Amino acid sequence: MSDQTTIPTRPGTLAEVVRRVRDEHDELRFCLAGFLDEFYANRVPFTRRARIEAEPGLFGDERRDAFIGAIGEHLCHRWGLGEPPAWTHDPARFLARPWFMGPERMKAFLLAESPSAFRRRFIFTEAEPLRRASMPKDGRWWAYETMRTGLVPEPEDIEPSERVQPTDSVQVK
């Protein structure tokens, strides 16, 4: 008998994150971290979009369900992936009461900084709530880091924006 241990794979889609947390009782924060690392490592918009396209199902926990909806919508907006998938608009993906993801003394900051996908669900968080070490360091990332930490990047530290600009779009004649 071999003494091999199986290394768990990272969830490749939001649907897989929800399934693993709900059915296999994995920790949401670890599954989400693995998913985001995979998402950020893949710089192709079409395949990034595919990672959030499938309806992930519900936890039955209003905060987690709204959080997953905010993640799907935010990733579309933040990385220029088009309109968010229809499942993100499900009323079950919205809270009736505010949820502040930080200490009481941070409420005003969280109200001001929360991205729209989170704010419209009454989830109040920091400006880059899905920040990971693997996240591309584009101009927006550096702007936030400069405000947050005082670090100022060297020009070579800023990765080109991954957003598709209107001038970059293909024009059909």
Side-chain angles (χ1 to χ4, degrees), residues 107-126:
K107 278 187 174 180
F109 173 79
L110 299 175
L111 279 167
E113 292 290 315
S114 296
S116 64
F118 290 83
R119 186 181 304 124
R120 72 188 208 100
R121 288 173 171 81
F122 282 172
I123 300 172
F124 299 98
T125 186
E126 65 174 90

Side-chain angles (χ1 to χ4, degrees), residues 7-24:
I7 298 172
T9 59
R10 295 177 174 175
T13 65
L14 270 181
E16 190 177 348
V17 168
V18 171
R19 183 194 61 75
R20 286 173 61 167
V21 171
R22 186 185 58 221
D23 301 342
E24 298 175 20

